[in-house]
Amino acid sequence: MARPRLPFEFLVALRFLREGRMQTALILLGVTGGVAVIVFLSQLIAQLQSTIIDRVLGSQAHVVVRPLEEVNLRARSDPASTAVIEPRAQRLRSIDQWEAIVKLAEDQPGVVAVSPVVSGPAFALRGRASKSVALLGVEPDRYRRIVKMDTYMVRGKFQVEGTNAIIGTELAKDLGVTVGDKVFLRAAGGRDELLQVTGLFDIGNKDLNRRWVFTTMKLAQSLLDLPGGVSNIDITVTDIFDASEVAARLQAGSGMTVDSWMTTNSQLLAALRNQSVSNNLIRSFVIIIVALGISSVLVVSVVQKQKEIGILRAMGTSSNRIMGVFLLQGALVGFVGALSGVGLAWALLQIFSTIYRTGDGAPIFEPQLDTGIALSAAGIALAVGVLAALIPARRAAKMDPVQAIRA
Amino acid sequence: MTDAAGKPAIISMRGLRKSYGVGTPVETEVLHGIDADLAEGEFCALIGPSGSGKSTLLNLIGLLEPPTAGELSVAGQSTTGLNEQALTVLRGRHIGFVFQFHHLLPAFTALENVMMPAIIAHGVATAEDEAVAHDLLARVGLSSHEYKKAGQLSGGQQQRVAIARALSLSPRLILADEPTGNLDTHTADDIFALLREFNRERGSACLIVTHDPRLAARCDRRIELVDGRLAASTSVAEPA
Ligand SMILES: Nc1ncnc2c1ncn2[C@@H]1O[C@H](COP(=O)(O)OP(=O)(O)O)[C@@H](O)[C@H]1O
Ligand SMILES: [Mg+2]
């Protein structure tokens, strides 16, 4: 059986495309390249951005609640000028009613984990070595959901009780201690305690590896002279880009100072946004160029196919179906170009992820294609194909069949 | 010559006018009021000097362009005021075209060209459409050329494919604009004979534009156009 199985519009659209070999090949190449650039670039930027954000948030809470900062409001004698706000030297203070605020935070939508923290400065001493450290009294079961300490542990578990302490690998090296050894800790206020090292962590940040010392909340409270108090409440949220909204809501609800990672890293965020803006700009240009390419090829094709259009009209094809034939050509070019473009982007990712590696040999970015990015690029290509075909298709539909047949 | 007498008209024209460039300084009237009928199954020649308006009249009858004034009925249906969609349906259902320059679709095979009117009408080719197309190509003697692309066929072969295509939906009316115009005498006779054969066999009315007096003489009737008007010798309807 040799009868064509395709519906009229598909049959004619495909045949027209096949007939315009070179034109079709070139425009497919254009769409393929365009889709590949968009997918590849978007993927690259998304990965780099998420890597950077992961690094930043790897050792930082999304949202932090602190006591209200004490400020001196000194009215100037000149009433026209605004009050001058002078920060006062901050003393360690507890958050008022922190249990209630923990409860409030836990009830907020979009909040995943809440961990009260008792923190303050101290010195770690051993022999003649004395190191300035940050004492962090935490409930490990809560805190491990703020900073993924379990994944950073080099020795021991992220668990503390009694006078146990978990310290970073750098501090351990500086003091010459390891798991099982004792370290003397003296807080800024003069209180001290002999701690037993039960775990070592490596956060991937030398400074933090040198400074952080984890103990129980109770021990930190007594060393830092904050009985029953906490100095800050760390919060993890579901969507990291919702952090500032969650922070604003909490600040309104609690009356405390609440900061999100987005405000403390505003420069980084601005840089990331600029990068996204330039990515969108490139995408828009590529889309416009691809659309113009499809459009111009189809406009030429409509002129070339004038006679065929006239014949089809004479045989009972309505102008709407002629329009459909050309819209379909745009859609087909967009669809096939999207498929091969995504394929090309995937191939590029494989190549680049083997070529470009970090100092320690790990790939800078993942070779996996993000299905969301690929699907949206394919969807855009399809839509652009149809939209680009709109003008040529309308021209084809309006073509006078008599004119075509007489010529 | 009167075997079709008394049959209803497949085409009826009353005061049909056509102007080009309406509303522009170069507005010209090409057809100045045509009154004529074509009966069902009639085999009629449309003759006249070049530029007399024969193709224009054929295109009006074929619903490819609208008359400027006058009344045109096809298959008993008045075409005045019909929208493009309705005209397209009427054309697809009742009219088959054969053009001078065969006008096949070059991207398609002979078989696909013959099936095309059916594909357009049915949305997709059915097994029956294919059987009909095979049959028609056999009738025009091109069974062995079914899978050749239109461009690989000779002029006479292409015109035979065009006739098979015009017949694919068994239309009640076939409009042929100089179907033998650029063929040699022998091939022209073949093509003409084919049209005559299908006319007799299926009862499709034919209106054939031709410059060849020999062929015109072999038709049931002749309609003659001179400068956009019917010549005095032409009767409005088929002679009774
Ligand atoms: N689209 C058009 N615009 C203006 N004049 C036209 C157009 N089509 C045909 N004509 C004119 O109409 C007249 C009749 O043409 P046509 O019907 O092709 O004649 P025939 O087929 O008898 O040779 C000619 O003078 C031709 O120049
Ligand atoms: Mg003519």
Side-chain angles (χ1 to χ4, degrees):
Chain A
M1 289 297 243
R3 100 183 97 108
R5 304 284 172 166
L6 292 170
F8 170 76
E9 282 83 355
F10 269 93
L11 179 69
V12 176
L14 281 172
R15 226 36 98 75
F16 279 6
L17 284 173
R18 213 171 75 186
E19 213 185 7
R21 294 162 197 281
M22 202 57 189
Q23 273 161 244
T24 308
L26 283 175
I27 193 58
L28 275 178
L29 217 65
V31 179
T32 302
V35 170
V37 164
I38 290 177
V39 170
F40 184 67
L41 210 67
S42 304
Q43 170 103 15
L44 205 65
I45 287 180
Q47 280 195 12
L48 289 178
Q49 294 203 344
S50 79
T51 308
I52 291 170
I53 290 171
D54 276 357
R55 290 241 166 105
V56 166
L57 293 182
S59 57
Q60 190 179 334
H62 298 165
V63 174
V64 179
V65 182
R66 289 195 183 81
L68 266 188
E69 280 175 20
E70 292 177 346
V71 293
N72 287 349
L73 282 180
R74 189 182 63 182
R76 281 275 193 86
S77 46
D78 177 4
S81 79
T82 51
V84 174
I85 300 172
E86 289 187 341
R88 193 200 266 179
Q90 299 288 305
R91 193 178 62 81
L92 264 190
R93 292 194 308 124
S94 172
I95 298 174
D96 285 338
Q97 313 276 326
W98 64 268
E99 287 95 341
I101 295 175
V102 166
K103 182 87 183 54
L104 178 73
E106 280 171 337
D107 290 345
Q108 289 288 321
V111 167
V112 174
V114 179
S115 174
V117 178
V118 183
S119 67
F123 288 96
L125 313 167
R126 181 170 159 99
R128 271 190 287 164
S130 162
K131 298 285 166 194
S132 164
V133 298
L135 177 59
L136 296 166
V138 297
E139 281 176 35
D141 284 340
R142 282 177 175 270
Y143 194 76
R144 61 163 49 96
R145 300 180 61 195
I146 305 293
V147 174
K148 295 187 188 66
M149 289 308 298
D150 295 310
T151 63
Y152 300 140
M153 294 306 292
V154 179
R155 298 204 42 196
K157 286 210 168 72
F158 188 63
Q159 279 299 348
V160 281
E161 54 192 29
T163 57
N164 290 352
I166 293 165
I167 65 173
T169 47
E170 292 297 321
L171 183 62
K173 211 192 299 168
D174 289 351
L175 297 177
V177 296
T178 184
V179 168
D181 291 343
K182 305 244 182 224
V183 170
F184 197 70
L185 202 83
R186 175 175 297 142
R191 299 172 181 230
D192 51 32
E193 184 69 62
L194 191 61
L195 304 180
Q196 163 130 27
V197 177
T198 55
L200 299 180
F201 62 80
D202 176 3
I203 289 182
N205 175 325
K206 283 204 170 169
D207 187 49
L208 296 183
N209 288 348
R210 189 165 277 141
R211 288 181 55 80
W212 280 5
V213 173
F214 289 100
T215 66
T216 62
M217 278 178 72
K218 205 162 167 228
L219 186 58
Q221 281 166 344
S222 85
L223 279 168
L224 297 170
D225 192 17
L226 271 178
V230 303
S231 40
N232 50 280
I233 299 171
D234 286 1
I235 296 167
T236 299
V237 294
T238 329
D239 180 354
I240 56 170
F241 293 102
D242 274 348
S244 62
E245 278 158 47
V246 172
R249 276 202 307 259
L250 260 179
Q251 174 142 357
S254 68
M256 296 292 136
T257 303
V258 186
D259 284 325
S260 74
W261 73 276
M262 298 170 82
T263 39
T264 41
N265 297 280
S266 58
Q267 284 196 348
L268 171 71
L269 262 179
L272 295 183
R273 285 218 179 92
N274 287 343
Q275 199 179 40
S276 297
V277 166
S278 52
N279 181 31
N280 285 340
L281 209 65
I282 294 171
R283 278 163 77 146
S284 312
F285 276 123
V286 170
I287 287 171
I288 289 169
I289 291 166
V290 166
L292 286 178
I294 295 177
S295 228
S296 59
V297 163
L298 286 179
V299 164
V300 170
S301 161
V302 167
V303 174
Q304 289 172 333
K305 295 282 182 283
Q306 198 169 350
K307 202 172 105 180
E308 280 93 329
I309 293 168
I311 298 166
L312 289 171
R313 291 291 302 278
M315 288 192 293
T317 312
S318 67
S319 58
N320 280 343
R321 287 176 85 181
I322 294 290
M323 187 151 152
V325 166
F326 281 85
L327 287 179
L328 197 55
Q329 288 185 63
L332 285 169
V333 165
F335 182 69
V336 174
L339 285 186
S340 48
V342 168
L344 180 59
W346 180 84
L348 284 175
L349 274 176
Q350 308 311 304
I351 294 168
F352 275 63
S353 65
T354 42
I355 292 178
Y356 294 100
R357 289 171 178 282
T358 55
D360 50 6
I364 288 184
F365 46 84
E366 301 289 314
Q368 287 91 351
L369 205 59
D370 183 281
T371 38
I373 292 176
L375 280 178
S376 71
I380 288 172
L382 196 65
V384 165
V386 174
L387 286 178
L390 216 54
I391 291 172
R394 289 188 54 174
R395 271 183 74 163
K398 278 196 188 138
M399 200 119 76
D400 179 4
V402 169
Q403 221 50 41
I405 290 162
R406 275 187 195 268
Chain B
M1 290 273 262
T2 59
D3 53 320
K7 282 192 184 170
I10 178 76
I11 308 165
S12 164
M13 296 166 262
R14 291 294 173 268
L16 214 55
R17 290 173 183 272
K18 181 66 185 178
S19 300
Y20 286 109
V22 175
T24 69
V26 295
E27 175 167 346
T28 40
E29 191 170 81
V30 175
L31 294 174
H32 314 289
I34 307 292
D35 293 286
D37 283 350
L38 191 72
E40 294 269 14
E42 200 180 357
F43 196 75
C44 182
L46 179 57
I47 56 176
S50 185
S52 57
K54 303 182 297 294
S55 293
T56 304
L57 186 61
L58 219 60
N59 290 335
L60 293 188
I61 296 171
L63 309 177
L64 290 174
E65 55 186 347
T68 320
E71 175 70 20
L72 169 69
S73 297
V74 172
Q77 186 172 356
S78 167
T79 61
T80 314
L82 291 187
N83 63 15
E84 193 238 287
Q85 195 65 37
L87 292 174
T88 301
V89 169
L90 201 56
R91 176 166 65 237
R93 187 172 302 159
H94 296 301
I95 303 174
F97 287 92
V98 181
F99 304 100
Q100 176 175 7
F101 301 105
H102 31 77
H103 283 329
L104 297 182
L105 297 166
F108 293 84
T109 64
L111 187 70
E112 288 165 340
N113 264 285
V114 175
M115 272 191 274
M116 194 52 77
I119 294 175
I120 293 166
H122 305 150
V124 65
T126 66
E128 199 194 325
D129 297 334
E130 192 191 353
V132 167
H134 282 304
D135 215 46
L136 282 167
L137 280 169
R139 289 294 309 278
V140 299
L142 290 175
S143 280
S144 53
H145 295 74
E146 285 183 339
Y147 302 113
K148 284 193 180 156
K149 284 277 165 70
Q152 295 171 289
L153 302 172
S154 73
Q157 288 171 335
Q158 291 192 36
Q159 199 58 296
R160 281 192 265 169
V161 172
I163 289 173
R165 183 179 68 185
L167 286 161
S168 108
L169 290 174
S170 291
R172 286 158 74 185
L173 174 63
I174 291 173
L175 300 174
D177 196 349
E178 303 191 36
T180 61
N182 58 348
L183 301 176
D184 62 73
T185 317
H186 181 71
T187 317
D189 283 354
D190 276 359
I191 295 297
F192 190 83
L194 256 177
L195 281 171
R196 192 45 155 162
E197 204 175 306
F198 282 120
N199 160 255
R200 290 233 162 91
E201 194 177 297
R202 305 185 176 214
S204 305
C206 292
L207 185 59
I208 304 165
V209 175
T210 180
H211 282 299
D212 188 336
R214 277 181 327 112
L215 297 181
R218 282 155 61 181
C219 293
D220 299 340
R221 185 161 65 107
R222 283 146 295 281
I223 294 176
E224 186 173 1
L225 273 182
V226 179
D227 287 338
R229 289 192 172 82
L230 291 185
S233 65
T234 305
S235 51
V236 166
E238 192 182 9

